[in-house]
Amino acid sequence: GAVVSQHPSWVICKSGTSVKIECRSLDFQATTMFWYRQFPKQSLMLMATSNEGSKATYEQGVEKDKFLINHASLTLSTLTVTSAHPEDSSFYICSARGRDEQYFGPGTRLTVT
Amino acid sequence: AQSVTQLDSQVPVFEEAPVELRCNYSSSVSVYLFWYVQYPNQGLQLLLKYLSGSTLVKGINGFEAEFNKSQTSFHLRKPSVHISDTAEYFCAVSDLKLSSNTGKLIFGQGTTLQVKP
């Protein structure tokens, strides 16, 4: 089946620094990938839709200058959290669109100290 | 716009008992419906999906769900649960543009299934 990986699986960074999270589709090409954010004991909130070769589409309320998304190839999308603050600490999950479903990565736990 | 409501935030159940996790949706167009399971600190795994055809959908791990258009529901059921079924379960809906550039999933709030020995 379709496999999506994320790297790193967890990261700790200091406030004010930037951190990049990678999302890869390992055995298929994904023209569209999605980035979600999940707070403890809560549901997934869609942050943005990433289309290969074009600008990402951000959901309302998501700061595009803070959460930079780059989908440079058919197998890789990256999310960069710029100037991270403790309130950005969360579980970030990506998914890749398949024919009739989305395939989810294992998630990245970001802790900003 | 679509929305999803999972009516129970937590469902405690004893091992080998049956369970039903409830999901209702609202949409002005036809939809695809999904159930996902999430184990602690992991991503989401698809349990089953309804795209069209038979309203009773069978998934992995012995789960099944029934699409009821008149009641706008897609409840998840399992006749006999195991300790290993303890996890978070999410119902999700997408409009029929899932395969297009505009299709996206809308998730419910999640239901924690707690299976007790």
Side-chain angles (χ1 to χ4, degrees):
Chain A
V3 179
V4 175
S5 70
Q6 281 185 243
H7 178 79
S9 56
W10 59 271
V11 57
I12 302 173
C13 70
K14 292 186 177 182
S15 185
T17 62
S18 297
V19 61
K20 180 184 289 187
I21 303 170
E22 294 183 347
C23 177
R24 294 182 183 272
S25 57
L26 297 184
D27 50 2
F28 67 103
Q29 294 182 332
T31 56
T32 302
M33 291 183 175
F34 302 88
W35 287 96
Y36 296 85
R37 184 173 181 177
Q38 185 181 32
F39 291 105
K41 305 294 185 183
Q42 295 189 25
S43 188
L44 281 73
M45 298 299 297
L46 180 64
M47 299 174 65
T49 302
S50 167
N51 292 300
E52 187 267 337
S54 64
K55 291 183 179 180
T57 302
Y58 291 82
E59 295 298 303
Q60 190 173 7
V62 177
E63 299 175 60
K64 62 180 181 181
D65 294 328
K66 180 169 186 60
F67 298 100
L68 300 179
I69 292 173
N70 185 19
H71 195 156
S73 77
L74 288 172
T75 59
L76 174 64
S77 176
T78 60
L79 168 68
T80 301
V81 183
T82 62
S83 187
H85 292 285
E87 57 265 31
D88 298 324
S89 297
S90 190
F91 194 53
Y92 292 88
I93 303 175
C94 73
S95 71
R97 173 184 283 146
R99 185 168 177 269
D100 292 320
E101 63 180 273
Q102 290 183 22
Y103 302 98
F104 286 81
T108 297
R109 173 77 59 194
L110 170 64
T111 301
V112 184
T113 61
Chain B
Q2 295 87 36
S3 68
V4 180
T5 302
Q6 292 182 240
L7 299 166
D8 306 295
S9 59
Q10 292 188 351
V11 174
V13 63
F14 286 104
E15 192 174 18
E16 298 183 4
V19 70
E20 178 180 81
L21 306 184
R22 297 180 294 169
C23 173
N24 286 88
Y25 70 93
S26 67
S27 176
S28 58
V29 298
S30 297
V31 294
Y32 289 161
L33 293 158
F34 305 80
W35 274 100
Y36 287 89
V37 61
Q38 184 181 34
Y39 298 101
N41 296 310
Q42 295 186 28
L44 274 66
Q45 179 182 6
L46 180 68
L47 281 176
L48 46 80
K49 60 185 176 185
Y50 172 78
L51 305 180
S52 65
S54 173
T55 58
L56 183 62
V57 180
K58 292 188 182 298
I60 64 171
N61 301 342
F63 285 95
E64 65 180 30
E66 186 159 17
F67 170 58
N68 188 317
K69 188 174 182 179
S70 63
Q71 297 185 6
T72 60
S73 68
F74 191 55
H75 300 334
L76 180 71
R77 301 186 184 98
K78 186 170 183 178
S80 176
V81 295
H82 300 133
I83 294 289
S84 58
D85 292 323
T86 295
E88 191 77 14
Y89 291 79
F90 292 98
C91 181
V93 63
S94 175
D95 62 26
L96 286 181
K97 297 178 181 177
L98 184 65
S99 59
S100 76
N101 288 337
T102 58
K104 56 187 180 183
L105 287 172
I106 304 299
F107 285 89
Q109 301 89 329
T111 297
T112 302
L113 176 62
Q114 301 167 322
V115 182
K116 303 177 180 181

